[in-house]
Amino acid sequence: MIRSADVRTDSEVRSWEARLNRERPQRREVAAWITSQISAASAGSPRVVELACGAGFLAEVLKGQLSGLRYCGFDLSPHLLEYARRRLDGSPGEEGYAATMHFLRADLVSDNWTAQLVELGWAGKVDAVVSIQALHDLGDLAQQKLVLEQARSLLREGGLLAYGDLLLDAENPHPSRYSLEEHEEMLHSCGFSVPGTSLTDGDRHDSGSRGFAAARYGEFGAFACCK
């Protein structure tokens, strides 16, 4: 089974992403949910940062649905980033692509990745930070919390964190996948206002004015909360 860190060619990238989508078909629902949360929270032309953007799966959905998108995706793999750049290369003659779509290499846990956004002039101006099926690869709760705290510092007041990740599976435990309750506690400890919820498959929770929404899609928990 090829891992993201091992991909070297376009064929390997396509095979890697196809396997993810085949094994976790809910990814498309989660991507649509994340996009809808940004659309509901933004007045237009949102500035969005993606954590561990991979080959550009979520970026492609965002670009197709959010008018005037300004985007910056981070990933550790230079091969995935290069593929994503070409995948999101604007339509022939499209103006402003280079200024609105950025793909930057960083280890989110150990590098000072936020400095790259400071250089772009995005610090404190980000409308949304997003991620899909990636936080668990950053490490344990402490490491995930560190990255989310850094992400929160980049958000404008009222800015949105929206992500979906694989939840703890008691039958097939993974050392850095966690329950809905543990995700909510992590978000609360990062400074987000997160009311307690109890979601089962297909359930939705949207607290509206309190700036929190959550959903469950199969193995995925999806969360959206405002700074």
Side-chain angles (χ1 to χ4, degrees):
M1 181 183 298
I2 191 168
R3 303 174 304 162
S4 61
D6 298 327
V7 298
R8 294 292 185 274
T9 67
D10 283 4
S11 177
E12 289 174 341
V13 173
R14 287 191 291 268
S15 295
W16 170 76
E17 187 175 276
R19 176 179 60 79
L20 292 181
N21 291 333
R22 182 174 62 253
E23 294 179 352
R24 304 290 192 303
Q26 301 90 354
R27 277 164 53 87
R28 298 190 185 282
E29 293 179 273
V30 175
W33 186 87
I34 290 171
T35 305
S36 71
Q37 296 298 317
I38 298 172
S39 182
S42 173
S45 300
R47 185 180 276 111
V48 179
V49 172
E50 183 176 359
L51 308 176
C53 64
F57 168 78
L58 178 56
E60 187 172 59
V61 175
L62 296 172
K63 188 171 187 285
Q65 297 297 319
L66 299 176
S67 178
L69 174 69
R70 292 166 290 177
Y71 171 93
C72 184
F74 286 93
D75 203 272
L76 181 60
S77 167
H79 304 284
L80 291 176
L81 286 169
E82 176 55 30
Y83 186 92
R85 286 190 189 99
R86 287 185 277 112
R87 179 180 193 167
L88 276 296
D89 195 4
S91 301
E94 182 177 347
E95 295 183 2
Y97 169 76
T100 59
M101 301 294 290
H102 307 273
F103 295 91
L104 303 176
R105 185 175 184 272
D107 184 324
L108 296 173
V109 174
S110 63
D111 292 345
N112 184 18
W113 60 276
T114 60
Q116 298 186 64
L117 287 170
V118 172
E119 291 177 6
L120 287 177
W122 283 29
K125 300 178 182 179
V126 175
D127 295 295
V129 174
V130 301
S131 182
I132 187 167
Q133 198 178 340
L135 287 187
H136 67 274
D137 287 328
L138 300 178
D140 61 20
L141 273 177
Q143 291 170 305
Q144 293 179 36
K145 178 184 174 184
L146 172 65
V147 174
L148 293 185
E149 286 175 335
Q150 291 173 307
R152 186 179 185 277
S153 72
L154 298 166
L155 288 168
R156 61 169 174 79
E157 287 302 317
L160 183 74
L161 169 68
Y163 71 90
D165 201 14
L166 298 172
L167 297 172
L168 177 67
D169 181 351
E171 295 183 0
N172 298 288
H174 185 286
S176 55
R177 293 182 191 169
Y178 300 99
S179 67
L180 284 163
E181 293 74 20
E182 287 171 312
H183 275 275
E184 291 174 5
E185 175 57 32
M186 175 176 67
L187 292 169
H188 181 72
S189 68
C190 288
F192 295 99
S193 178
V194 181
T197 65
S198 180
L199 295 173
T200 57
D201 192 27
D203 279 353
R204 306 289 183 271
H205 172 87
D206 188 343
S207 61
S209 62
R210 286 182 291 175
F212 176 77
R216 181 161 184 171
Y217 296 91
E219 297 178 72
F220 284 89
F223 305 87
C225 43
C226 292
K227 179 175 179 179

